[in-house]
Amino acid sequence: CLDEEGKVHEFGSGWRTEDCNDCSCSDTGIGCCNSYITPADYDEEKCESIFNKETCSYKVVEKDDHTKECPVHGWVG
């Protein structure tokens, strides 16, 4: 399989992209999906979600103080 960056992958192999997608190669082609879940139910007026590309995860924190995490009641992924 030839990925978007021009790299060749063997059939049956898997890898994670820079954009935190998990991909795999089979005889039918390449399939990719998100490796992370997205916060969906939190106080959006008081809080904001921040994505960390190194850990491929979201953190939900207060807009005025990023050291304080906010409760999240639902995730999508």
Side-chain angles (χ1 to χ4, degrees):
C1 297
L2 188 64
D3 70 15
E4 293 176 346
E5 297 175 3
K7 294 180 186 172
V8 176
H9 299 274
E10 292 182 18
F11 290 137
S13 66
W15 66 96
R16 180 166 284 177
T17 68
E18 284 184 12
D19 295 326
C20 296
N21 290 316
D22 287 333
C23 298
S24 62
C25 170
S26 70
D27 58 354
T28 58
I30 293 177
C32 297
C33 61
N34 293 342
S35 65
Y36 54 88
I37 54 176
T38 305
D41 185 9
Y42 63 93
D43 184 348
E44 293 186 35
E45 288 187 29
K46 181 181 176 184
C47 306
E48 64 183 332
S49 64
I50 299 172
F51 188 72
N52 181 334
K53 265 192 162 183
E54 288 186 21
T55 62
C56 293
S57 63
Y58 278 97
K59 188 174 188 177
V60 180
V61 294
E62 290 185 7
K63 290 179 181 178
D64 297 333
D65 186 352
H66 285 186
T67 64
K68 294 182 181 176
E69 289 194 43
C70 296
V72 179
H73 306 290
W75 297 81
V76 200

